[in-house]
């Protein structure tokens, strides 16, 4: 009798599981990073259009703020409740690959599909010859400058070198009032990157040729001293370490900052929030030998290995990377095109702001694809915050940071 009841219960349980599986057949869940107020509405449009074109496939997008995205993914993956697809920072991909949770996409990718992409942006998602992600967003960094402030300060052209930038910043400071020469980011995401701009211009790299940290190199130390001198001489906004990227961008949109370095999306923000601001976009300043570098960034969309609806998920990916849908997303968010055909559109060809960014791509550096990169980036940010606050000698602080980074690199 007990066995009979156990069998009945088992059959009932299997029936429930079968019904659940049937109910979820054709469902594709996607975790989406929130880039702006336009992100949610865009993916709602995608959902409606895709489902109309693909009866029987139900798409569910969940929009998640960037600052909690990695934690959410980590929690969901651990619990086995993750979505089928997710947008991630490409710099996280190596950890997902090592954890064996990312599905290689090569069995789905045809030569024609691969041919849609600009190689510069697809390559960061290829590891050990396998494609684990597709570039959903791409960006670089350039220097924005306030034309009116520079003109008032008697500066005819945007600075081409750090020496010229320092001179221009001093002239802007001399105007008095709430006028800050150089907007310097000092907290949160990309605090380390804001330092790399100066470091690359000094001829140093994040990693030396032997794979060790470059933070203790002569160029890295000189770059830190340069930024500290800008702070000490009052050529930046006060309280640098209380300013995240968005805070510095807000100062720029308010017309209070002469120069700052950031991404193409600021142009869209200016058009919508400060349409009367007269600004330009130029190359990141060069160092004494003419070296310079910009930060190339991609975010990828990945498929997880435990997805039960991989074929349906791939259909959605193919849909997302059609030229018209890519253009709608890229232009709305203010990114650079990853699609070759999209890049030929008048919107990009005749856009002076975007042309300044694309011209810098040959000098673009991407975050190193190495285990522990996020920890190393945080070590760099922490060291630079101490430099900015005057909590130690820049050389000593960077050598200490390099030793910590090397400890991670040797694991």
């Amino acid at each position: 009798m007990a066995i009979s009841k156990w069998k009945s219960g088992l059959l009932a349980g299997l029936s429930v599981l079968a019904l659940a599986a049937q109910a979820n057949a054709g469902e594709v869940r996607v975790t989406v990073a929130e880039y702006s107020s336009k992100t949610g509405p865009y993916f709602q449009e995608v959902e409606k259009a895709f489902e109309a074109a693909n009866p029987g496939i139900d798409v569910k997008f969940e929009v998640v703020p960037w600052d909690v995205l990695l934690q959410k993914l980590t929690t969901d993956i651990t619990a086995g409740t993750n979505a089928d697809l997710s947008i991630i920072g490409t710099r996280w991909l190596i950890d997902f690959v090592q954890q064996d949770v990312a599905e290689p996409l090569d069995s789905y990718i045809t030569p024609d599909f691969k041919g849609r992409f600009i190689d510069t942006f697809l390559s960061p998602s290829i590891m050990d010859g396998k494609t684990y992600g597709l570039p959903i967003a791409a960006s670089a960094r350039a220097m924005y400058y306030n034309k009116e402030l520079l003109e008032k300060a008697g500066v005819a052209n945007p600075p081409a070198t750090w020496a010229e930038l320092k001179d221009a910043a001093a002239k802007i400071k001399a105007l008095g009032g709430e006028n800050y020469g150089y907007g310097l980011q000092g907290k949160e995401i990309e605090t380390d990157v804001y330092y790399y701009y100066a470091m690359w211009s000094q001829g140093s790299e994040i990693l030396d040729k032997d794979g060790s940290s470059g933070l203790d190199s002569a160029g890295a130390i000189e770059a830190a001293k340069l930024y500290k001198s800008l702070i000490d001489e009052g050529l930046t906004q006060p309280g640098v370490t209380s300013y995240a990227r968005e805070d510095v961008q807000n100062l720029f949109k308010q017309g209070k900052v002469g120069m700052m370095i950031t991404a193409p999306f600021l142009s869209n923000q200016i058009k919508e929030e400060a349409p009367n601001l007269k600004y330009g976009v130029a190359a990141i300043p060069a160092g004494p030998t003419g070296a310079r570098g910009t930060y190339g960034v991609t975010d990828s969309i990945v498929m997880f290995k435990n997805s039960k609806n991989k074929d349906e998920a791939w259909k959605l990916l193919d849909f997302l990377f059609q030229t018209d849908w890519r253009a709608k997303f890229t232009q709305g968010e203010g990114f650079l095109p990853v699609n070759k055909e999209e890049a030929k559109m008048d919107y990009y060809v005749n856009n002076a702001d975007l042309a300044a960014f694309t011209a810098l791509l040959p000098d673009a550096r991407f975050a190193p694809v190495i285990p522990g990169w996020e920890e190393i980036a945080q070590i760099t940010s922490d060291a630079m915050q101490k430099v900015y606050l005057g909590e130690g000698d820049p050389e000593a602080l960077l050598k200490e940071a390099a030793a910590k980074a090397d400890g991670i690199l040797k694991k």
Side-chain angles (χ1 to χ4, degrees), residues 358-376:
T358 55
L360 289 171
L361 289 177
D363 295 319
R365 272 86 156 177
F366 291 86
V369 182
I370 54 173
W373 168 245
E374 289 296 318
E375 191 176 353
I376 292 171

Side-chain angles (χ1 to χ4, degrees), residues 70 73-86 88 92-105 131-133 301-308 310:
L70 182 56
L73 291 176
T74 302
T75 301
D76 288 353
I77 290 168
T78 301
T81 58
N82 55 278
D84 300 280
L85 303 169
S86 180
I88 67 168
W92 307 340
L93 186 55
I94 188 169
D95 292 323
F96 286 177
V97 171
Q98 290 188 332
Q99 294 163 15
D100 199 31
V101 297
E103 176 74 14
L105 301 175
T131 307
Y132 287 98
I301 187 164
V302 299
M303 183 188 297
F304 290 109
K305 274 198 169 181
N306 64 352
S307 169
K308 298 296 189 292
K310 292 185 175 71

Side-chain angles (χ1 to χ4, degrees), residues 5 87 131 140 163 218 232 268 293 334 395:
K5 285 183 177 179
I87 291 176
T131 307
D232 291 346
N268 279 13
E395 182 171 353

Side-chain angles (χ1 to χ4, degrees), residues 2 33 45 62 85 96 112 118 123 129 131 133 140 150 152 170 181 206 224 257 286 309 338 343 373 390 394 405:
E45 281 190 59
E62 181 182 9
L85 303 169
F96 286 177
D112 285 345
I118 296 170
S123 58
T131 307
L150 289 183
K152 287 179 182 177
I206 296 171
V257 168
N309 296 307
V338 302
W373 168 245

Side-chain angles (χ1 to χ4, degrees), residues 60-284:
K60 292 184 178 177
F61 289 104
E62 181 182 9
V63 181
V64 179
W66 262 112
D67 58 354
V68 297
L69 178 60
L70 182 56
Q71 182 58 54
K72 173 182 169 51
L73 291 176
T74 302
T75 301
D76 288 353
I77 290 168
T78 301
T81 58
N82 55 278
D84 300 280
L85 303 169
S86 180
I87 291 176
I88 67 168
T90 304
R91 61 192 181 277
W92 307 340
L93 186 55
I94 188 169
D95 292 323
F96 286 177
V97 171
Q98 290 188 332
Q99 294 163 15
D100 199 31
V101 297
E103 176 74 14
L105 301 175
D106 304 276
S107 62
Y108 296 99
I109 295 174
T110 64
D112 285 345
F113 182 85
K114 188 175 182 179
R116 298 179 192 178
F117 295 93
I118 296 170
D119 290 341
T120 300
F121 295 127
L122 181 61
S123 58
S125 296
I126 300 174
M127 299 179 189
D128 297 325
K130 295 180 180 179
T131 307
Y132 287 98
L134 302 172
I136 194 74
S139 184
R141 304 292 182 261
M143 185 180 72
Y144 285 76
Y145 60 95
N146 183 314
K147 291 182 177 180
E148 286 190 346
L149 273 183
L150 289 183
E151 186 178 340
K152 287 179 182 177
V155 179
N157 299 302
T161 66
W162 286 105
E164 290 179 7
L165 181 144
K166 192 170 183 179
D167 181 65
K171 291 177 179 177
I172 290 171
K173 177 189 176 184
L175 295 174
E178 285 188 292
N179 295 312
Y180 311 121
Y182 182 57
L184 179 57
Q185 177 188 336
K187 73 171 185 177
E188 297 180 8
I189 187 171
E190 292 193 13
T191 295
D192 61 318
V193 176
Y194 223 95
Y195 161 63
Y196 300 147
Y197 305 134
M199 188 180 81
W200 287 325
S201 74
Q202 298 294 329
S204 290
E205 299 292 340
I206 296 171
L207 298 179
D208 287 335
K209 290 181 180 179
D210 63 1
S212 63
S213 173
L215 290 176
D216 56 356
S217 65
I221 294 165
E222 193 60 36
K225 290 179 177 178
L226 167 65
Y227 272 10
K228 186 64 168 70
S229 72
L230 291 172
I231 294 171
D232 291 346
E233 294 171 32
L235 307 183
T236 69
Q237 81 280 10
V240 163
T241 56
S242 64
Y243 283 82
R245 178 177 67 190
E246 287 70 23
D247 300 320
V248 182
Q249 288 176 172
N250 287 337
L251 283 180
F252 189 86
K253 286 180 282 189
Q254 293 163 12
K256 297 179 179 179
V257 168
M259 298 154 287
M260 75 164 295
I261 300 171
T262 191
F265 46 68
L266 180 58
S267 295
N268 279 13
Q269 294 178 22
I270 292 171
K271 289 180 177 67
E272 293 178 5
E273 302 170 32
N276 296 322
L277 182 68
K278 294 180 180 178
Y279 74 97
V281 182
I284 291 171

